[in-house]
Amino acid sequence: MATLNLRNIRKSYGPVETIKGVDLDIADQEFVVFVGPSGCGKSTLLRMIAGLEEITSGDLMIDGKRVNDVGPADRGLAMVFQSYALYPHMTVRNNMAFALKLAGVPKEERDRKVDEAARILQLGPYLDRTPKELSGGQRQRVAIGRSIVRNPRVFLFDEPLSNLDAALRGQMRIELARLHEELAATMVYVTHDQVEAMTMADKIVVLQSGVVEQVGSPLELYHHPANLFVGGFIGSPRMNMLPGRIAHVDRTGVAVDVAGGARIVVPAESTNVAAGNPVTLGIRPEAMRPEPAGQLAGEVLLAERLGGLTLLHVTLTDGQVVVVQLEGSDSTRPHQPVRLLVDGEACHVFNEAGRALPHLERHPLAA
Amino acid sequence: MKDSAAKRIFITILGWLVALLLAFPIIWMVMTSFKTETDAISTPPLFVWHPTVASYAEVQERANYFSFALNSILISVGGSLLALAFSVPAAYAMAFHPTPRTRSTLLWMLSTKMLPPVGVLVPIYLLFSSLNILDTRGGLIIVYALMNLPIVVWMLFTFFKEVPREILEAGRMDGAGVWNEMRYLLMPLTLPGIASTGLLSLILCWNEAFWSLNLTSSAAAPLTTFIASFSSPEGLFFAKLSAASTIAVAPILIFGWLSQRQLVRGMTFGAVK
Amino acid sequence: MSSASATSVAVPPRSDTSRTPSMMPLLAPAVGVLLIWSIVPLVMTVWFSFKNYNLMDPTVSGWAGIDNYSYLITDPDFWVSLLNTLVLVGSVLVITVVGGTLLAVLFDQNFPGQGVARLLAIAPFFVMPTVAALIWKNLMMHPIYGVLGSVARGLGMTPIDWFADYPMVSVIIIVSWEWLPFALLILLTAVQSLDREQLEAARMDGAGAFAQFFYITLPHLRRAISVVVMIETIFLLTIFAEIFVTTAGGPGNATTNLAFLIYARALLQFDVGGASAGGIVAILLANIVAFFLVRSVARNLEV
């Protein structure tokens, strides 16, 4: 049972402010992912929650109690570090039992808890080894095991999968999701990998330069990005961004003219914009397909065939390259002229300040 | 492939030849130490002879060899322990709790090592003389500790720096306070580094021959000074010189071989990795 | 420490320093003793260098002004000692760096018994200077009983009376023998840190052994070589024991370097003032090197 509340949390090093006022509510048993480019402050924020960094101003509440001045060990949290930070001179068992030992838990109970955690993580055969005798994935599991035995109110993860190879990372993602369900615990997870964020999170917090850009469920962020940054950051391949100008507005949406004279109508709120405003049109790669009647004209530069998907890189008449994602294997060849049909309903319009014009209708899965 | 086999043989021969040539004076010294004085000066040199330990016995008779050896041990160990006593807390503070001034403090410490001993020979000699600590072990221990302090601090600093920050943070998350952090994490993780730093300091003290020659004469004279007493030629003394030298060099040679990696680190202040 | 409080007011302290108690008590003893060790004798040397002060002759006293210095620079012995110092340092540097680099490349190769051979090659560095000098002087270089003399006679040549005819060369040989292993050890460590793929790429580009050495290995070693040069210089500038036990600066002043000159002035002639002036020269000389060394180390220092 744990909720976390951040109230106007700030962090500065001397005159430099790295976290610029974060407000956030994390519900019990929620899996929250902080995501953003490196240097955005996501790790600092996590370390402030952990108690490893001092909070310059603002309030951090766990279960409604302000814990700014409580030491890291007394906040009832456990943290899994990027480097795992296993104690190299202790066996796996002692690594996992260390916190309990310091807390004065009797030996039998320590052993019971370690054995239980080892069972969950399939670490049983390795309990008497030292960390350097383990593989990367096993070390990762020990690090998680070390946090499980403490039975914490909140689990904190600082880019825990970034040292693993791609295959193992995929496997650990599933394992972490399973663990979240089994332990029914609140988890806060930091990553720069938007795929990890999308696949595991109940709630994603997108950070940039110490500011929260948007908070929401994965699909909410995907289908209703609040601004250019989130639009560009979430989703792979990236959203295509075309500069354009508003042609006209009405109750059904906004018509945007982009390079080459193409006009695309997006069902977005038009209250704060007027014809002639410069805007950016965001088109997801899967929101376009080759069609003789398409609005955009261009030439295929390159076709990446992934089997189940085909990515077409298309040079538009103004020289901009857009990426189009097609289902299945496509026969389109490089240097072939092509017209692209854009699904206006799946497009996003960002005003000059980079803010998205809200869609008139919400995506059904992004309530 | 034939070419590379030939190259391999050539490299093997060359490598061993160079190694044996460089070590030859030491090897010859050890061999001579087991000869009689007449065998020692035989020309051409004897490579086969009846080994004897007579020279070792004579060395002990000639001057109380063990008191010099004892001085060497006490002064080297004392100087190294004293240096460690000052350095461990300082290196700990700088490595684990750096401040904006840590960098300049470290560089300043390094720069004090650049002060040539001969530049301050006169005042140190006069100070020692007025404090009545000329030719005392305590005096030399102090000088050796101070002389090696910068190197010891630097080496410890680089060792301490290697303890990953995240491990200590994990310790804090697990509830380790200052005392438990020391006991369960820092001590076991840094002990090897402290030991090899002490070893390097021991080597440097043992072989030091500027201060020992100038500040000691008999009562506190270590082996470097004792060996120097062979500098005025006297009858037949090659075998005795070799025997005395062999005992003086042997222990530190073994320590040196054990600590060659740390030596690179310590002597270059981390500039060569 | 007024500066400490000043900084903590100006810059908000980092989280770590604010929660943990001040580290000053841990740092202060080491800094304190080093401060004393580096300042007090230095100030005294400067002080004495402007005084008339003879240990044996109390009538000599009072301020000397710059007399000690002017006497020093008009003394031909001083210039000889300076020259000897430079010759000694320069020769040993050339021998050890060139030899050390070649040996480092050699010992970087794999050959049977390589580990043992390397131990033998670095052994001389751990031999105390007085032993090294006396073993060389007697067992090796003695014109009648020394190994080198026997080798010369075996080859039908007249043995060289090293210390009588080539005293400086003899000292250079001994000191080089001591420091060659040091250069080898440092440079070997550096060679081993060279990325093997770089050498393989060079081989793919058609570089032979020499081209690999000059275009890949040597540039990679540049930094290590400069460190070896600087550290050796610091130590070689004040070579003392080797001269003290072999030549005592002679014959004449043929092997008197600055360190030995200062020693002789102070503890043989008891001229504290003159010796101190010489000491200041030694300190200045070392400082030139030290400046570059500290700068080079600073570039690599991460706090």
Side-chain angles (χ1 to χ4, degrees):
Chain A
M1 288 289 119
T3 61
L4 268 174
N5 307 92
L6 282 68
R7 292 282 167 267
N8 196 21
I9 295 275
R10 287 171 191 275
K11 173 80 188 173
S12 25
Y13 296 98
V16 188
E17 197 170 43
T18 52
I19 301 289
K20 298 163 186 166
V22 170
D23 286 289
L24 189 65
D25 294 305
I26 296 171
D28 185 37
Q29 300 189 18
E30 206 167 20
F31 197 123
V32 175
V33 175
F34 294 173
V35 70
S38 60
C40 69
K42 55 190 188 294
S43 282
T44 309
L45 195 56
L46 188 78
R47 291 166 53 83
M48 284 159 88
I49 295 173
L52 295 172
E53 297 275 352
E54 206 186 10
I55 297 167
T56 309
S57 73
D59 298 317
L60 172 66
M61 260 106 71
I62 300 178
D63 285 338
K65 273 228 255 351
R66 188 174 186 274
V67 293
N68 285 38
D69 301 317
V70 177
D74 303 322
R75 293 188 184 185
L77 315 172
M79 180 145 163
V80 176
F81 291 84
Q82 182 171 10
S83 65
Y84 317 144
L86 301 179
Y87 309 122
H89 55 295
M90 296 183 194
T91 60
V92 168
R93 176 181 291 283
N94 288 342
N95 259 284
M96 298 211 281
F98 187 57
L100 301 177
K101 182 174 168 184
L102 291 180
V105 175
K107 176 131 182 32
E108 307 85 69
E109 194 181 339
R110 276 185 343 229
D111 283 344
R112 198 172 47 70
K113 287 194 164 171
V114 169
D115 289 335
E116 167 68 8
R119 185 192 58 75
I120 296 175
L121 295 164
Q122 292 137 33
L123 281 169
Y126 310 110
L127 281 175
D128 293 321
R129 300 202 188 166
T130 56
K132 64 171 175 293
E133 296 168 303
L134 301 180
S135 71
Q138 289 163 346
R139 285 179 205 180
Q140 172 68 76
R141 264 193 272 267
V142 176
I144 294 170
R146 193 168 61 178
S147 54
I148 290 179
V149 293
R150 296 183 48 198
N151 199 14
R153 296 191 284 180
V154 181
F155 285 88
L156 307 176
F157 295 91
D158 188 4
E159 310 222 14
L161 305 186
S162 59
N163 288 331
L164 301 178
D165 63 44
L168 209 48
R169 212 179 305 155
Q171 191 187 324
M172 285 306 297
R173 275 210 309 263
I174 296 165
E175 219 160 311
L176 279 174
R178 183 181 62 85
L179 208 63
H180 177 227
E181 202 176 284
E182 186 168 340
L183 299 174
T186 310
M187 294 187 171
V188 183
Y189 187 105
V190 162
T191 181
H192 62 271
D193 181 354
Q194 56 103 13
V195 175
E196 278 176 27
M198 293 295 283
T199 51
M200 291 191 288
D202 294 323
K203 184 196 268 177
I204 296 180
V205 179
V206 183
L207 283 150
Q208 191 199 10
S209 312
V211 173
V212 173
E213 295 283 354
Q214 192 174 359
V215 179
S217 71
L219 290 181
E220 190 177 351
L221 263 53
Y222 189 81
H223 292 294
H224 300 285
N227 51 41
L228 263 178
F229 177 79
V230 177
F233 193 81
I234 300 288
S236 172
R238 272 173 61 94
M239 182 188 279
N240 299 293
M241 301 290 185
L242 302 181
R245 204 164 275 282
I246 292 186
H248 62 80
V249 298
D250 58 29
R251 279 190 305 109
T252 61
V254 184
V256 178
D257 281 347
V258 293
R263 174 165 300 182
I264 288 142
V265 180
V266 183
E269 277 179 29
S270 54
T271 28
N272 293 321
V273 286
N277 284 171
V279 291
T280 304
L281 183 70
I283 312 172
R284 294 270 179 215
E286 70 273 18
M288 287 186 280
R289 64 177 192 277
E291 194 81 39
Q295 304 100 314
L296 296 173
E299 187 187 294
V300 176
L301 177 69
L302 175 75
E304 290 182 277
R305 299 175 209 288
L306 305 174
L309 292 175
T310 304
L311 299 180
L312 296 180
H313 295 247
V314 176
T315 312
L316 299 182
T317 42
D318 68 336
Q320 245 205 110
V321 178
V322 294
V323 177
V324 180
Q325 177 177 310
L326 306 174
E327 294 285 328
S329 305
D330 190 86
S331 62
T332 317
R333 311 192 66 81
H335 308 304
Q336 190 178 318
V338 69
R339 289 197 79 87
L340 298 171
L341 183 70
V342 179
D343 174 9
E345 298 210 353
C347 287
H348 306 274
V349 181
F350 302 97
N351 67 15
E352 219 177 343
R355 303 222 61 82
L357 308 185
H359 272 236
L360 292 173
E361 276 178 43
R362 303 284 290 178
H363 189 280
L365 295 178
Chain B
M1 280 341 278
K2 199 177 166 217
D3 187 275
S4 90
K7 186 182 152 205
R8 197 173 144 80
I9 291 169
F10 174 72
I11 297 251
T12 308
I13 292 174
L14 191 65
W16 273 97
L17 195 68
V18 167
L20 287 172
L21 274 181
L22 277 173
F24 180 76
I26 301 172
I27 297 168
W28 191 246
M29 168 185 87
V30 176
M31 287 166 70
T32 307
S33 74
F34 290 105
K35 293 177 180 174
T36 61
E37 291 294 359
T38 30
D39 280 351
I41 58 164
S42 121
T43 48
L46 288 179
F47 281 88
V48 181
W49 74 99
H50 279 291
T52 164
V53 292
S55 301
Y56 287 91
E58 272 181 64
V59 167
Q60 168 60 14
E61 276 166 33
R62 163 196 164 110
N64 192 1
Y65 183 89
F66 286 108
S67 87
F68 291 103
L70 186 67
N71 282 338
S72 264
I73 293 170
L74 290 178
I75 292 169
S76 304
V77 172
S80 299
L81 288 181
L82 190 60
L84 283 175
F86 278 98
S87 305
V88 170
Y92 166 83
M94 290 193 287
F96 295 120
H97 303 279
T99 68
R101 273 167 300 136
T102 299
R103 189 186 163 81
S104 42
T105 308
L106 271 169
L107 289 175
W108 167 74
M109 285 186 163
L110 165 66
S111 71
T112 66
K113 181 68 194 162
M114 310 288 159
L115 194 67
V118 70
V120 292
L121 167 64
V122 173
I124 296 292
Y125 186 87
L126 294 177
L127 275 176
F128 269 51
S129 153
S130 63
L131 295 173
N132 273 327
I133 50 171
L134 274 176
D135 204 14
T136 61
R137 289 175 195 143
L140 215 51
I141 285 176
I142 292 172
V143 168
Y144 283 4
L146 290 166
M147 176 184 81
N148 287 330
L149 198 58
I151 288 188
V152 172
V153 170
W154 264 78
M155 255 183 97
L156 289 176
F157 175 80
T158 56
F159 276 119
F160 287 0
K161 264 293 180 208
E162 278 172 15
V163 175
R165 243 187 124 72
E166 289 199 332
I167 287 190
L168 300 184
E169 288 178 347
R172 282 174 64 193
M173 296 293 294
D174 279 347
V178 174
W179 169 242
N180 281 328
E181 179 180 278
M182 285 266 185
R183 179 169 161 208
Y184 292 113
L185 302 180
L186 285 178
M187 278 287 277
L189 289 174
T190 58
L191 213 54
I194 295 175
S196 49
T197 306
L199 203 58
L200 177 66
S201 168
L202 215 58
I203 294 171
L204 294 175
C205 291
W206 187 274
N207 287 345
E208 202 285 330
F210 179 79
W211 293 117
S212 63
L213 288 175
N214 281 306
L215 298 180
T216 65
S217 51
S218 54
L223 288 167
T224 43
T225 310
F226 169 64
I227 302 291
S229 71
F230 284 95
S231 60
S232 37
E234 40 165 299
L236 294 177
F237 72 110
F238 278 23
K240 281 194 283 290
L241 167 65
S242 298
S245 298
T246 301
I247 321 178
V249 166
I252 230 61
L253 192 55
I254 291 163
F255 283 176
W257 281 337
L258 291 178
S259 69
Q260 33 168 325
R261 289 235 153 255
Q262 283 69 34
L263 183 125
V264 173
R265 182 203 289 257
M267 300 280 295
T268 63
F269 302 98
V272 173
K273 295 209 173 84
Chain C
M1 287 264 116
S2 61
S3 65
S5 52
T7 27
S8 59
V9 171
V11 182
R14 287 233 225 138
S15 50
D16 259 11
T17 42
S18 67
R19 192 170 303 141
T20 49
S22 164
M23 288 293 132
M24 271 326 268
L26 297 182
L27 199 51
V31 170
V33 295
L34 259 187
L35 208 59
I36 296 169
W37 169 248
S38 63
I39 301 275
V40 172
L42 186 65
V43 170
M44 285 173 77
T45 304
V46 174
W47 174 266
F48 290 144
S49 75
F50 293 109
K51 298 276 282 189
N52 288 318
Y53 188 173
N54 190 300
L55 289 178
M56 289 293 119
D57 187 354
T59 62
V60 179
S61 65
W63 286 98
I66 58 161
D67 284 359
N68 287 321
Y69 290 95
S70 52
Y71 178 74
L72 192 69
I73 59 169
T74 53
D75 180 358
D77 277 355
F78 167 71
W79 293 104
V80 171
S81 78
L82 209 54
L83 185 68
N84 284 339
T85 305
L86 296 181
V87 168
L88 179 60
V89 173
S91 316
V92 174
L93 278 183
V94 170
I95 294 169
T96 56
V97 168
V98 173
T101 308
L102 295 177
L103 292 190
V105 174
L106 176 64
F107 284 103
D108 185 40
Q109 315 285 324
N110 260 321
F111 60 84
Q114 172 206 32
V116 179
R118 201 176 66 199
L119 286 185
L120 287 177
I122 63 167
F125 186 66
F126 302 111
V127 174
M128 58 176 65
T130 47
V131 166
L134 287 175
I135 292 297
W136 271 93
K137 182 184 179 186
N138 296 301
L139 270 57
M140 296 289 123
M141 290 175 157
H142 193 283
I144 302 165
Y145 308 123
V147 173
L148 293 181
S150 297
V151 171
R153 272 192 299 277
L155 298 172
M157 296 185 298
T158 321
I160 300 167
D161 190 352
W162 287 92
F163 279 94
D165 297 338
Y166 306 102
M168 192 44 133
V169 173
S170 311
V171 173
I172 288 171
I173 290 175
I174 296 173
V175 176
S176 299
W177 179 74
E178 291 177 288
W179 285 91
L180 181 61
F182 172 76
L184 163 62
L185 199 54
I186 306 284
L187 296 174
L188 184 58
T189 308
V191 168
Q192 284 169 342
S193 74
L194 174 61
D195 183 5
R196 296 290 126 166
E197 290 193 351
Q198 265 190 47
L199 288 178
E200 283 167 4
R203 262 170 65 195
M204 297 298 290
D205 287 342
F210 283 97
Q212 282 177 43
F213 176 75
F214 281 105
Y215 291 111
I216 309 288
T217 309
L218 210 51
H220 174 76
L221 288 181
R222 217 178 54 181
R223 185 183 164 73
I225 287 177
S226 70
V227 170
V228 168
V229 166
M230 290 183 286
I231 290 172
E232 282 195 14
T233 307
I234 299 284
F235 283 93
L236 296 176
L237 276 175
T238 56
I239 284 290
F240 175 76
E242 290 84 346
I243 294 173
F244 178 83
V245 299
T246 55
T247 66
N253 56 13
T255 55
T256 299
N257 68 349
L258 196 52
F260 198 83
L261 180 87
I262 295 167
Y263 155 79
R265 282 286 138 82
L267 301 186
L268 300 180
Q269 295 157 20
F270 309 109
D271 176 6
V272 170
S276 297
I280 294 298
V281 175
I283 291 168
L284 289 179
L285 218 52
N287 268 339
I288 298 171
V289 190
F291 173 76
F292 289 104
L293 178 55
V294 171
R295 216 178 54 167
S296 165
V297 170
R299 219 176 301 146
N300 224 27
L301 171 62
E302 282 166 28
V303 176

